Amino acid sequence: MSQENTSSIIVVGKLGAPYGIKGWLKVHSFTDDPQGIFEFSPWLIGQQGKWQTLEVVDWRRHNKGFIAKFAQVNDRDEAMAYTHAEISMDAAQLPELPQGEFYWRDLIGMSVITDKGYNLGIVDDLMETGSNDVLVVKANNKDAFGQAERLIPFLTDTVIKEIKHDAKEITVDWDPGF
């Protein structure tokens, strides 16, 4: 994989320290369902901007995390070379979501417009809170309300009125003064 084509790569975890002498490594999963990381293979392993694929041949739970064995790694010394490397996958490997559901990464970069036509800015990030997710919207430079950033609850039907994928636009019922 060339370095130029990394826009569709998403980090899903990180490799930890070697485990044992046969090339196993500890795995730290960043996926919602931690063991879901093993549904994707091969993994793209990133170190210093270089990518290579590793095929998971076996894995199991270990303490509060996981350990994994790769086809190409057969002893502790080889495993050491992968310690702290990022585990990634190509976005194309993600399962299709049902109509009306989105991956967070699909929303980042979308414009957020009120139902009255005011442009609030661009989705910069999303946060999980106890009750609901929140859009972090970076306001436009010349925001009429002097806002630099807005936190908008991701509540479908009440706040989020429509998500137009093709137009990269989210329509919200929200007071621009907030």
Side-chain angles (χ1 to χ4, degrees):
M1 168 153 301
S2 70
Q3 283 179 264
E4 299 83 56
N5 187 22
T6 56
S7 62
S8 65
I9 291 177
I10 14 183
V11 176
V12 293
K14 190 172 187 176
L15 292 172
Y19 176 81
I21 59 169
K22 296 186 176 168
W24 288 71
L25 282 145
K26 292 180 181 170
V27 173
H28 305 285
S29 175
F30 302 159
T31 55
D32 279 349
D33 168 20
Q35 75 182 42
I37 195 170
F38 297 104
E39 292 173 17
F40 308 105
S41 188
W43 287 351
L44 290 170
I45 304 297
Q47 293 176 298
Q48 288 98 35
K50 292 186 173 58
W51 299 92
Q52 73 177 97
T53 57
L54 286 183
E55 184 186 344
V56 177
V57 291
D58 198 5
W59 68 273
R60 60 178 165 250
R61 288 191 173 282
H62 178 71
N63 295 335
K64 291 182 180 160
F66 303 97
I67 55 174
K69 173 75 176 82
F70 301 97
Q72 305 90 324
V73 183
N74 296 303
D75 64 40
R76 189 175 183 86
D77 290 340
E78 289 175 14
M80 285 293 288
Y82 295 101
T83 301
H84 305 304
E86 289 183 330
I87 304 166
S88 304
M89 57 181 267
D90 192 307
Q93 290 176 275
L94 289 172
E96 286 289 314
L97 291 176
Q99 187 68 34
E101 288 190 28
F102 308 94
Y103 287 111
W104 276 13
R105 64 181 187 81
D106 295 336
L107 302 177
I108 293 175
M110 284 191 171
S111 295
V112 180
I113 315 287
T114 69
D115 51 2
K116 313 236 181 337
Y118 186 82
N119 187 328
L120 297 172
I122 303 278
V123 177
D124 190 44
D125 199 3
L126 286 104
M127 303 187 311
E128 255 180 293
T129 66
S131 53
N132 55 270
D133 297 335
V134 174
L135 293 174
V136 179
V137 179
K138 188 176 190 325
N140 300 309
N141 288 342
K142 294 182 174 67
D143 187 81
F145 296 88
Q147 301 286 341
E149 181 179 86
R150 290 181 175 88
L151 301 178
I152 301 174
F154 195 87
L155 299 170
T156 49
D157 301 330
T158 54
V159 177
I160 306 296
K161 294 299 180 186
E162 186 179 12
I163 297 175
K164 299 180 201 153
H165 266 295
D166 297 339
K168 303 234 353 122
E169 190 176 284
I170 301 171
T171 305
V172 297
D173 178 2
W174 194 252
D175 179 347
F178 283 171

